[in-house]
Amino acid sequence: MQVSDTLLTELDNLHPKQRTAVLHDGNVVLRAGPGSGKTRTLVARIAYVLQTQISAFRGVACITYTNAAAEEIRQRVLSSGVRAEGRITCSTVHAFCLNEILRAFAHLTDQPTLQAGQVLNTGATEALLQSCFDRVGIGEVLAQHRMPQNTRIRRALACDEPLDSFDPREVQAARLYEEQLLLRGEIDFEAMVTRAVRTVREHEPVRDLLRARFPHLVVDEYQDLGGVLHELVTALRDLAGITVFAVGDTDQSVYGFTGADAKYLTELAARPDFRDLELEVNYRSGQDIITAAEAALGLPRGRLAREGAPPGDVNLKRVKGGLDDHARLACDLVEEAQNRQISPERIAILYPARGPLLDAIRSELTRRELDFRHEGDDKLPAGSLSRFVQRCAHRAVTNYQIHTAPGPRRADMLRRTQAPSLAALARALATLRTEAQLTDPPSRLHWPRALQLCLDPDEPYPADAPALDWLEHLRTGLALDEVAAEHPDQDNTSSLDTMAGLCRSKNLLLQDLARGEEIIGKVLLATYHAAKGREFDTVILPGLLKGIIPRDIPDRGRWRKPNETELAEQRRAFYVALTRAESTVTMIVGPGYRTNNGYPISRGPSDFVIEMVRRLSPKDRA
């Protein structure tokens, strides 16, 4: 098949290794470090396959770690000039397993269709696990603190991995938990993947139909998706004959507490039927930032900045006092960056975990009236319907900001806005309605038009106006209560009422609902983990102190030092935080801090920072 001029131009602009990965006609593992153009390569691969490798009646499945990443990839493929509408499925692993395997082939596997409320939410899963703990005689263990461990055990069980490192009673409880899910006709997010693996392994017609629909599978962030996904990918490769393109980076594996392990990426790359490629150029960060980050990691990878890139600024600042001083200096740096005309959304303050550091930073940002968005704020309810409302709010807020901005500023905002399109929101709403088994009206234009009336009116709803009226208008205009009542995900059942209650009791503004997306005009305050996959001009890292990073691990009501594996993962998380910066990264250290209960800890700067400085050459330290 002929390659379009648009795609040819894109291929010509790729680095030779990127181009090799895109054009390879077999299975590929692409090791892509920070800023290496991973998403660009992945999108070019999908576009190339759609245009040249498969017929117009077949497609590509793309599995990502987050909904935001899935939508970004989908949008970029659709913008590539390739006929991709209806031929690309981008989703998280859970959504892929539920919608494209379990739900799609229920009629072939005698599995009942999920009804309203049968996908358990966090509260229901904790309650079920607690009952299992009670039944095996460990009722004193609180399920809410053992969910990550339960996930690791269930993944180990699904992959037939050794269980020696786990408490046998918790293993027994995990087995009982799985049995109870089946008896009750319910499912949770972890079971979606394990059941999908079982379906693929046991049903040849399912494999044949999956291969017919998706002859190519693309998997992003492979290092973070765990052993069960690895089992699914290898089953689709070995049993169904689907071509696999896996992208990942062992240095950015930071979800080991859920059972993720970079060894699966390494195992896939070692297979003789896969080509193993690595991207060494970092197109994001300056060379000084790259060198400092690799020194912090302790594994010199020799990655290089793009040709002609400024070296970047790496700064180490010391304060004399505790975390209040860290917060004040962090806010000083935000104001300095804004004075250099750095847009607020291009500035990030990153922290390792919740605690007194976060409290101090939030207090100081609020005191100075600096607009910020805390990505870890969990006031709003969970679930796909809540996320949809938040994305709609983001669209409405951005529309208002652009509508009210001065002429030159408006043009700049239009170039940089990343608000979801009406088409993307219409697809998301259609998915929600399909999952709720609701029948759409005959006209395909119904929901885009309804969304346009709600979100893009001639007079946009003010971003700083009360959110409740806007929310009620959205609920009515898009018939969202109908979705909530029939959707199988328990998180969606009461999310609209919960959100309305919060709007009423907390006096939330429309901009308070617009979370989970980049909001123009707000500094980001987020954990290292939440910043993964993002990039900023300026990154500020306060609280680099022993006891905060690396931090001790809570274990059955006590605190213990991290073991070797946990320590390595925290080091990788620090590396991820450093590599979010394009131009400037500032690390803040000091003598110590006080815990939330006032206990003083004065152990000095983080070992990670000390080791990084020691590894840098005298020239780099200067």
Side-chain angles (χ1 to χ4, degrees):
M1 297 182 186
Q2 187 174 4
V3 180
S4 68
D5 291 342
T6 303
L7 184 54
L8 278 174
T9 300
E10 176 62 17
L11 291 173
D12 287 341
N13 290 333
L14 293 176
H15 185 277
K17 282 201 173 181
Q18 291 175 307
R19 192 159 52 247
T20 298
V22 170
L23 300 179
H24 184 65
D25 61 1
N27 305 298
V28 173
V29 165
L30 183 66
R31 301 173 188 262
S36 61
K38 171 202 71 174
T39 303
R40 183 182 184 184
T41 309
L42 188 152
V43 168
R45 168 73 174 192
I46 295 173
Y48 175 77
V49 166
L50 286 173
Q51 188 165 86
T52 69
Q53 302 298 299
I54 57 178
S55 75
F57 304 100
R58 309 177 81 187
V60 174
C62 178
I63 296 175
T64 69
Y65 194 75
T66 66
N67 290 289
E71 185 58 32
E72 179 188 1
I73 291 167
R74 178 184 172 82
Q75 286 298 323
R76 288 175 63 168
V77 172
L78 291 174
S79 301
S80 68
V82 173
R83 181 183 170 276
E85 190 64 62
R87 301 177 63 208
I88 176 172
T89 295
C90 284
S91 61
T92 64
V93 60
H94 300 105
F96 178 79
C97 290
L98 180 62
N99 296 323
E100 310 303 333
I101 298 179
L102 299 179
R103 183 175 280 135
F105 301 114
H107 61 291
L108 295 178
T109 60
D110 297 325
Q111 294 296 317
T113 302
L114 289 170
Q115 302 300 315
Q118 289 187 323
V119 179
L120 302 186
N121 60 19
T122 300
T125 57
E126 289 178 355
L128 178 57
L129 181 60
Q130 190 66 59
S131 71
C132 294
F133 282 168
D134 293 342
R135 290 177 61 178
V136 302
I138 52 173
E140 73 280 1
V141 178
L142 296 179
Q144 66 186 89
H145 300 315
R146 303 302 290 172
M147 291 302 296
Q149 183 77 337
N150 183 59
T151 298
R152 293 181 62 196
I153 294 172
R154 292 172 66 194
R155 290 183 177 182
L157 287 168
C159 298
D160 294 323
E161 293 180 343
L163 303 171
D164 301 345
S165 61
F166 302 117
D167 185 327
R169 298 170 301 175
E170 291 198 48
V171 173
Q172 184 182 355
R175 295 184 190 274
L176 182 58
Y177 181 96
E178 294 281 3
E179 294 172 4
Q180 288 298 306
L181 282 180
L182 291 171
L183 285 173
R184 294 158 51 144
E186 295 172 337
I187 194 171
D188 66 1
F189 285 100
E190 192 62 30
M192 290 176 190
V193 187
T194 56
R195 292 184 191 180
V197 172
R198 192 178 309 122
T199 298
V200 170
R201 283 176 173 169
E202 296 177 358
H203 297 276
E204 184 177 359
V206 170
R207 298 196 296 269
D208 292 342
L209 289 169
L210 280 170
R211 182 177 65 250
R213 185 181 177 194
F214 303 121
H216 287 259
L217 172 68
V218 175
V219 187
D220 190 20
E221 301 289 5
Y222 202 94
Q223 78 283 346
D224 283 334
L225 296 176
V228 184
L229 175 72
H230 182 64
E231 295 283 332
L232 177 62
V233 170
T234 54
L236 292 172
R237 168 63 250 158
D238 297 338
L239 301 179
I242 292 175
T243 301
V244 173
F245 187 88
V247 183
D249 181 16
T250 54
D251 293 339
Q252 297 185 77
S253 177
V254 295
Y255 290 98
F257 57 88
T258 65
D261 196 321
K263 72 179 182 181
Y264 301 115
L265 177 65
T266 303
E267 288 178 10
L268 201 66
R271 287 179 46 143
D273 57 337
F274 276 75
R275 181 158 187 187
D276 185 16
L277 296 168
E278 182 174 7
L279 304 180
E280 294 101 350
V281 177
N282 184 326
Y283 294 92
R284 175 192 302 150
S285 305
Q287 189 61 56
D288 286 357
I289 296 174
I290 296 170
T291 301
E294 292 189 1
L297 184 65
L299 297 169
R301 300 302 192 191
R303 292 195 171 102
L304 301 173
R306 71 183 188 280
E307 186 176 351
D313 294 321
V314 180
N315 306 299
L316 183 62
K317 302 281 188 179
R318 179 182 291 273
V319 296
K320 295 181 179 179
L323 295 180
D324 288 342
D325 283 358
H326 284 253
R328 282 190 285 270
L329 179 54
C331 290
D332 289 344
L333 294 168
V334 167
E335 292 175 340
E336 289 174 12
Q338 292 181 340
N339 290 337
R340 298 195 310 271
Q341 305 304 308
I342 305 300
S343 301
E345 68 275 8
R346 301 282 292 141
I347 304 168
I349 303 175
L350 306 181
Y351 61 94
R354 285 180 176 271
L357 173 62
L358 172 61
D359 297 340
I361 298 169
R362 291 193 63 166
S363 176
E364 185 66 13
L365 285 166
T366 302
R367 187 186 70 80
R368 296 200 193 188
E369 298 183 345
L370 290 169
D371 286 335
F372 72 97
R373 179 169 58 87
H374 178 217
E375 198 151 79
D377 194 339
D378 57 358
K379 290 184 301 184
L380 300 180
S384 54
L385 185 54
S386 176
R387 286 196 302 272
F388 172 75
V389 172
Q390 292 169 49
R391 295 181 70 206
C392 288
H394 181 206
R395 170 83 186 191
V397 167
T398 302
N399 187 40
Y400 174 77
Q401 290 173 327
I402 293 173
H403 184 81
T404 57
R409 172 68 172 158
R410 183 183 299 123
D412 179 54
M413 292 172 77
L414 282 169
R415 281 195 299 271
R416 292 186 294 108
T417 183
Q418 296 183 16
S421 67
L422 289 177
L425 292 171
R427 284 194 299 271
L429 180 57
T431 298
L432 284 165
R433 292 183 62 82
T434 299
E435 292 169 349
Q437 302 182 58
L438 297 172
T439 303
D440 272 334
S443 173
R444 295 181 60 188
L445 300 178
H446 176 81
W447 295 120
R449 177 59 177 161
L451 281 159
Q452 186 175 26
L453 291 173
C454 288
L455 305 180
D456 291 355
D458 293 336
E459 292 293 330
Y461 195 82
D464 56 355
L468 185 60
D469 290 344
W470 177 89
L471 177 60
E472 294 302 329
H473 178 61
L474 190 76
R475 291 174 73 167
T476 302
L478 303 182
L480 296 184
D481 287 280
E482 185 181 23
V483 175
E486 300 298 329
H487 202 278
D489 189 341
Q490 287 183 357
D491 277 328
N492 292 332
T493 304
S494 60
S495 60
L496 296 175
D497 289 336
T498 301
M499 191 176 291
L502 286 169
C503 290
R504 190 177 295 109
S505 64
K506 303 290 186 181
N507 296 317
L508 297 185
L509 309 179
L510 174 59
Q511 62 193 18
D512 294 324
L513 300 187
R515 297 197 295 106
E517 307 278 348
E518 178 185 286
I519 303 299
I520 293 174
K522 289 181 181 288
V523 174
L524 178 70
L525 175 61
T527 63
Y528 298 170
H529 287 77
K532 191 170 180 291
R534 314 279 284 278
E535 57 185 43
F536 306 92
D537 177 273
T538 300
V539 170
I540 302 163
L541 304 176
L544 299 180
L545 305 169
K546 291 178 183 176
I548 293 180
I549 178 74
R551 64 186 180 278
D552 291 346
I553 307 296
D555 189 358
R556 300 190 185 189
R558 298 182 178 181
W559 293 87
R560 61 171 175 80
K561 297 295 181 184
N563 59 36
E564 184 177 342
T565 299
E566 293 162 341
L567 188 65
E569 182 161 307
Q570 291 194 46
R571 187 186 300 278
R572 290 193 295 269
F574 180 48
Y575 169 76
V576 165
L578 287 166
T579 54
R580 300 310 93 197
E582 295 177 7
S583 302
T584 304
V585 60
T586 301
M587 297 166 281
I588 304 176
V589 299
Y593 65 101
R594 287 183 179 273
T595 64
N596 276 335
N597 60 12
Y599 183 78
I601 297 179
S602 302
R603 293 189 280 168
S606 164
D607 288 337
F608 294 163
V609 176
I610 294 171
E611 293 165 11
M612 177 186 69
V613 172
R614 287 175 179 168
R615 290 188 182 106
L616 292 171
S617 68
K619 176 179 178 297
D620 290 326
R621 288 201 297 269

